[in-house]
Amino acid sequence: MANRNCPEIKLAGLTVGPFDEGNEYEVYFWVAKELTTLGMAHFREDDILDVTKLFKMQWKEGVQIPGQISELPGDFYPKLRRFLQDLKEQATQAQQSEKFHEYDRVKHLARDITNSRLKKIIALAAAPGQGEQVLKKLTTEEKLIYDQLVKIIAEWKTKILEPGADM
């Protein structure tokens, strides 16, 4: 969101803006980060990942019945990487034990969420014919690994179960 009016900015091969105060804009992340650093814009609250949101995601993932997976925002993993990177930079710059502790806690939460989801994705890939409703809850990154696992598992099963298949 623009904090103030700003004219069009021309960069090598890229033009951004103009921006009107109070309006929302979608730009490359690196552009948004620079505009934020300069005080010209800020991220919407919904676009920022924090510890509370991660705890909610971990809880939501944990209460799913077997064979079900919760829905994450499509950009969850890029946001998670940026959040972890920002926390690590803050901890390194501040050299405060509580910042390192917060970074470690968030890293642990992130591992719990990704490990839980990965186990479910592996189980989904091993079971034949998953419904579209379950698969649409996967992020782009998860769909990629799911598709690769389905292929690997199918090839493995063919080699094991088909007479004369090369192993």
Side-chain angles (χ1 to χ4, degrees), residues 104-157:
D104 286 340
R105 189 175 57 177
V106 169
K107 201 168 159 183
H108 181 75
L109 268 174
R111 274 200 190 108
D112 282 352
I113 293 167
T114 55
N115 286 341
S116 175
R117 292 185 70 83
L118 187 57
K119 288 175 189 174
K120 292 176 182 182
I121 291 167
I122 292 168
L124 291 170
Q130 292 303 314
E132 196 60 34
Q133 293 162 330
V134 173
L135 298 180
K136 75 177 183 179
K137 293 179 180 179
L138 301 180
T139 66
T140 303
E141 297 87 351
E142 292 171 342
K143 183 77 168 95
L144 179 67
I145 196 164
Y146 170 82
D147 290 340
Q148 291 174 349
L149 285 169
V150 166
K151 183 180 174 188
I152 291 168
I153 291 168
E155 289 173 5
W156 181 80
K157 284 181 179 178

Side-chain angles (χ1 to χ4, degrees), residues 61-127:
E61 194 61 48
V63 298
Q64 296 296 313
I65 61 171
Q68 291 296 314
I69 194 163
S70 65
E71 192 166 357
L72 290 178
D75 57 355
F76 171 72
Y77 290 105
K79 282 182 181 178
L80 179 62
R81 282 191 302 271
R82 287 193 293 265
F83 182 44
L84 287 168
Q85 182 180 356
D86 287 346
L87 281 177
K88 188 174 184 178
E89 287 173 7
Q90 289 173 18
T92 303
Q93 288 173 357
Q95 290 294 314
Q96 297 173 342
S97 61
E98 66 259 8
K99 282 289 184 187
F100 284 109
H101 179 68
E102 181 181 4
Y103 171 69
D104 286 340
R105 189 175 57 177
V106 169
K107 201 168 159 183
H108 181 75
L109 268 174
R111 274 200 190 108
D112 282 352
I113 293 167
T114 55
N115 286 341
S116 175
R117 292 185 70 83
L118 187 57
K119 288 175 189 174
K120 292 176 182 182
I121 291 167
I122 292 168
L124 291 170

Side-chain angles (χ1 to χ4, degrees), residues 22-56:
N23 289 345
E24 291 182 17
Y25 297 93
E26 196 167 310
V27 295
Y28 292 111
F29 178 77
W30 67 270
V31 172
K33 193 167 184 173
E34 287 300 317
L35 291 172
T36 301
T37 301
L38 296 171
M40 298 170 70
H42 64 275
F43 289 101
R44 292 181 319 150
E45 191 65 33
D46 294 347
D47 291 334
I48 300 172
L49 199 56
D50 60 27
V51 178
T52 304
K53 289 177 186 173
L54 277 179
F55 271 120
K56 287 179 183 177

